[in-house]
Amino acid sequence: MLQDIRENAQGTIAKIIIGLLIVSLSIWGMDAIIGGFSGEPEVATVNGEDITEREFLRLVQMESQRRLSRMETPDPSLLNDDQIRREVLESLIQQQVLIQDADSQGLALTDADIDALITQMPQFQVDGQFNRDRFVSTVRNMGMGVREFREAMRKQYVVNQIRAGIVQSGVAADENVAQLLRIQNQTRDFRVVTVPESAVADEVEVTDEDVESFYQANSSAFQQPEQVDAAYITLSLGALADTIEIGDEELQTYYEQRASELAREERRAAHILIEDGENADETMAKIQQELADGASFADLAEEYSVDTVSAREGGDLGFAGRGVYDQAFEQALFALEEGEVSEPVETSFGVHLIKLEEVRRSDVPALADIADQLRNELARDRAEERFAEYRTKLADSAYSADDLAGPAEELGLEVREAKGITRDGGMAPFDHQGLVRQLFSADVVEDGYNTELIDVGDNVSVVARVREYREAQQLPLEQVAGDVRARLLAERTQTALRDRAEAIIAGLEAGQSLDELVEGEWVSYEAASRNNQEAGADVMGTVFSLARPAEGEASYGHAVTPSRAAIVALDAVNEGEVDDGGAEFGQLSQFLASLEGQREYGAYQQLLRNRAEVERP
């Protein structure tokens, strides 16, 4: 496949396709490529209201990114795109049904309500105070506009209100709570006697014929999978930074350049923001004149600022250092003296008047205290500049090279070797499935090409080639005989112990004494709870699975492993104590009520979904 791409990339077909794309773009623009002629298409219609393709695709992308972020080694090829699209569409249909239900009940949020919710969200705050720039930046990073985010909040909040109302209406009967607590707090009196594996050793035998018979019957379990030994080159930003030396003079210069930042100066700003429209100059001139006449900046912010959140606080934005605000806003703010008001400043949000309310600074650390940190910063900055260049060079040279020695020598990198890599992967970097798939592709295994350059982590890229390929093969009996023998011995020992335990229990139930049946004595446990660790988890599992014994009798059971059999005699079941006024009772009651409420909400959702008229193109 790679060779076909190499040959066709310069071919006539490729040139024709590119030419058609250029013509399409020049005549009709990008919409010609992405379907812009038809307006905004819908992916479904719910009770007459459309779910747009744009909204659907945005959420598909967000869900894909969310699933990738949960992978230890993110690999887009592992995502099931069809499943994601189905699940996202169904969630949008369900959401639309719930929003329509909320509208029919007259549930809505005002703009002031939304403002109050947004300002309370910690992800939009700096030093505990709402920061508009961080809010806008965060929303844009989510792939949304501010208005779109506010509308999404408006819809989701009212839906959550309905959910909360139903969930909180769940009720748990006191008797059900008490019954669960009686079971949960129950204790049991029991006895245990143990039969060791040595007691049945004479009964267990595994012959050579047994081993061979098992091997032949289960030959597929003794396959060595296909493997490759690989050579590879790793290009990493960290390793690149380690090779960069920073001299003392350069470090001193950098320290002096960073002094103002190292002092961590923060400034508390207030602003008046107006929209950048036709009347912006006139409005701003009026505000400036009122300031000159002695009007309060805070009062004018409350009157004129379209940033309604900060306007309620007299335009106050709180303390912030560099790198938080828009560049033009930051330059103006850090040029002011305390109490001074800037000239009008234009940003993407509108036109600002900025007032510097207060400045606070910390001392600059001594160079000796932060020398290592600054050296690392400088080295990493230099490495970042080189990394992109090196990555491009490595990708190009490895693509056309017949081996890895040339690309490695060109960039001063080391060719390493990894052995025994299977299709399930191997040691890092071959724990990355994308790299492993490339390594086992026909182009690489059969035709001897290098893999493409694969990003296996943040700023870590790898290219590899196969040095030796070994097909899957049957492991010989001699190699696995020991493992087979050990497995058969463990299985047969456990079976013999189980048979012995069942025979002992049958004798006890028939009235025989323990001495007649086994060498050993009962070990007694009184009022043992479910989380008792002394007897062992498997024994406690058996104890609490046995039926309540009749008065004066015992119920019997066993817990068997390849190393011992534990015979259990359950003598009594003690009901758990219940304090209907205690914290435990209250917590369990709330939990059960919440479960019931969630069940009712799920049924309510399903009812609305079943009633909805859904059309799909």
Side-chain angles (χ1 to χ4, degrees):
M1 182 179 68
L2 287 175
Q3 180 60 23
D4 292 339
I5 293 173
R6 288 182 172 93
E7 293 173 351
N8 292 331
Q10 304 299 324
T12 303
I13 295 175
K15 294 177 181 177
I16 293 173
I17 293 172
I18 293 171
L20 289 173
L21 285 172
I22 293 172
V23 170
S24 298
L25 287 169
S26 63
I27 298 176
W28 298 297
M30 183 60 73
D31 283 349
I33 309 301
I34 61 174
F37 285 119
S38 59
E40 189 167 4
E42 73 279 357
V43 292
T45 302
V46 182
N47 294 327
E49 295 189 23
D50 293 339
I51 296 174
T52 65
E53 186 178 54
R54 180 174 66 89
E55 180 183 16
F56 168 68
L57 292 178
R58 178 174 61 80
L59 289 181
V60 167
Q61 182 180 19
M62 291 175 65
E63 177 62 15
S64 298
Q65 291 299 322
R66 187 186 69 82
R67 297 191 185 193
L68 283 172
S69 69
R70 296 170 61 185
M71 295 182 184
E72 186 173 345
T73 52
D75 185 352
S77 64
L78 297 179
L79 296 177
N80 186 330
D81 293 332
D82 290 338
Q83 180 185 12
I84 291 174
R85 293 170 74 89
R86 286 195 303 271
E87 292 177 359
V88 167
L89 181 57
E90 182 56 36
S91 71
L92 282 170
I93 292 171
Q94 185 68 73
Q95 181 188 55
Q96 188 65 33
V97 168
L98 293 169
I99 290 169
Q100 292 170 357
D101 180 57
D103 289 342
S104 70
Q105 296 187 44
L107 298 176
L109 286 183
T110 66
D111 288 341
D113 293 330
I114 295 175
D115 287 342
L117 289 171
I118 290 174
T119 56
Q120 293 170 14
M121 293 183 176
Q123 58 266 46
F124 302 144
Q125 295 180 356
V126 175
D127 292 332
Q129 293 191 5
F130 174 76
N131 182 280
R132 180 179 176 81
D133 290 333
R134 174 168 290 187
F135 164 62
V136 173
S137 174
T138 303
V139 169
R140 286 178 177 171
N141 287 339
M142 294 167 61
M144 305 174 71
V146 170
R147 181 174 298 180
E148 187 179 9
F149 178 80
R150 290 171 63 87
E151 188 60 28
M153 278 198 65
R154 189 191 307 275
K155 292 178 179 179
Q156 193 58 48
Y157 189 81
V158 294
V159 169
N160 286 343
Q161 288 294 93
I162 294 177
R163 178 183 180 279
I166 296 176
V167 170
Q168 291 172 9
S169 68
V171 176
D174 288 349
E175 181 52 37
N176 290 343
V177 178
Q179 180 62 20
L180 279 176
L181 280 178
R182 281 192 288 269
I183 295 173
Q184 177 179 301
N185 297 335
Q186 189 182 89
T187 63
R188 298 195 167 198
D189 302 338
F190 63 96
R191 292 164 287 144
V192 178
V193 64
T194 301
V195 179
E197 61 178 314
S198 58
V200 297
D202 293 343
E203 304 172 23
V204 178
E205 181 182 8
V206 177
T207 66
D208 291 343
E209 290 74 16
D210 294 333
V211 171
E212 184 174 2
S213 176
F214 184 88
Y215 172 81
Q216 296 296 342
N218 299 276
S219 58
S220 61
F222 302 104
Q223 291 271 342
Q224 178 175 288
E226 58 180 329
Q227 297 180 347
V228 296
D229 295 341
Y232 67 99
I233 299 173
T234 299
L235 175 65
S236 74
L237 180 63
L240 201 57
D242 290 341
T243 66
I244 298 175
E245 295 185 4
I246 306 297
D248 292 341
E249 185 176 342
E250 185 179 6
L251 180 64
Q252 179 67 39
T253 301
Y254 183 61
Y255 172 73
E256 292 170 0
Q257 291 173 348
R258 290 283 312 279
S260 60
E261 298 175 37
L262 295 170
R264 294 170 57 190
E265 177 183 303
E266 293 182 315
R267 297 193 164 207
R268 185 163 69 88
H271 78 148
I272 300 171
L273 175 65
I274 66 171
E275 293 181 352
D276 188 9
E278 294 181 2
N279 301 321
D281 291 342
E282 181 181 342
T283 303
M284 187 57 72
K286 181 180 179 182
I287 296 171
Q288 288 178 299
Q289 184 59 53
E290 291 188 38
L291 278 173
D293 292 340
S296 163
F297 190 94
D299 291 342
L300 293 174
E302 188 171 355
E303 180 180 354
Y304 289 103
S305 184
V306 296
D307 182 356
T308 56
V309 176
S310 68
R312 299 193 194 103
E313 304 297 329
D316 189 10
L317 295 172
F319 281 99
R322 292 186 181 274
V324 174
Y325 297 121
D326 180 277
Q327 185 175 3
F329 189 104
E330 179 180 296
Q331 288 177 351
L333 174 61
F334 279 82
L336 295 174
E337 300 293 334
E338 284 195 33
E340 187 180 1
V341 178
S342 72
E343 292 298 316
V345 177
E346 292 186 13
T347 72
S348 58
F349 306 111
V351 184
H352 310 252
L353 277 185
I354 306 167
K355 182 180 180 182
L356 176 57
E357 299 283 10
E358 186 180 351
V359 178
R360 64 185 183 191
R361 299 180 179 87
S362 60
D363 294 334
V364 180
L367 175 57
D369 294 337
I370 57 172
D372 290 342
Q373 172 194 333
L374 297 184
R375 286 185 194 277
N376 291 337
E377 287 180 11
L378 270 174
R380 194 167 182 86
D381 288 344
R382 297 279 175 80
E384 285 179 353
E385 296 171 4
R386 297 184 189 179
F387 183 79
E389 177 187 352
Y390 278 31
R391 188 188 183 284
T392 300
K393 287 182 178 179
L394 180 57
D396 291 343
S397 60
Y399 182 76
S400 56
D402 293 331
D403 58 21
L404 294 180
E409 183 178 358
E410 180 183 352
L411 296 175
L413 301 174
E414 178 186 358
V415 179
R416 302 176 182 176
E417 185 173 330
K419 295 186 176 182
I421 304 164
T422 70
R423 288 186 181 270
D424 291 330
M427 297 293 290
F430 296 99
D431 54 353
H432 187 278
Q433 284 301 307
L435 178 59
V436 172
R437 277 195 301 275
Q438 280 267 323
L439 196 64
F440 278 89
S441 67
D443 299 312
V444 178
V445 171
E446 298 174 11
D447 300 334
Y449 291 111
N450 296 328
T451 67
E452 297 175 13
L453 188 65
I454 304 294
D455 295 322
V456 298
D458 290 340
N459 297 312
V460 179
S461 303
V462 173
V463 62
R465 67 179 292 110
V466 171
R467 283 191 169 168
E468 182 181 352
Y469 171 79
R470 293 183 292 278
E471 293 183 351
Q473 57 182 338
Q474 183 74 31
L475 294 172
L477 174 59
E478 300 77 36
Q479 187 173 335
V480 298
D483 293 337
V484 173
R485 186 178 299 276
R487 176 175 176 176
L488 290 175
L489 185 63
E491 290 178 354
R492 294 181 181 184
T493 298
Q494 186 165 358
T495 299
L497 285 169
R498 182 177 293 107
D499 292 342
R500 178 69 63 87
E502 290 174 354
I504 293 171
I505 290 173
L508 291 170
E509 290 176 337
Q512 291 181 268
S513 68
L514 185 66
D515 291 339
E516 296 177 81
L517 298 167
V518 64
E519 292 183 8
E521 297 181 354
W522 291 112
V523 177
S524 297
Y525 298 85
E526 300 291 331
S529 64
R530 294 175 183 273
N531 58 2
N532 181 285
Q533 300 296 319
E534 187 179 353
D538 60 336
V539 170
M540 294 308 298
T542 299
V543 168
F544 277 88
S545 68
L546 292 173
R548 184 190 299 267
E551 186 69 29
E553 298 182 5
S555 295
Y556 295 99
H558 58 67
V560 182
T561 70
S563 61
R564 62 101 174 101
I567 294 89
V568 176
L570 176 63
D571 296 316
V573 174
N574 312 308
E575 291 296 342
E577 296 182 358
V578 176
D579 179 6
D580 58 9
E584 186 180 37
F585 189 96
Q587 291 170 0
L588 182 58
S589 180
Q590 290 177 1
F591 175 72
L592 293 178
S594 177
L595 286 181
E596 178 62 19
Q598 291 174 27
R599 187 193 66 77
E600 291 175 0
Y601 179 67
Y604 182 71
Q605 281 184 299
Q606 192 59 50
L607 175 65
L608 294 176
R609 177 67 177 84
N610 292 341
R611 289 179 175 176
E613 295 183 6
V614 179
E615 299 177 6
R616 304 183 188 185

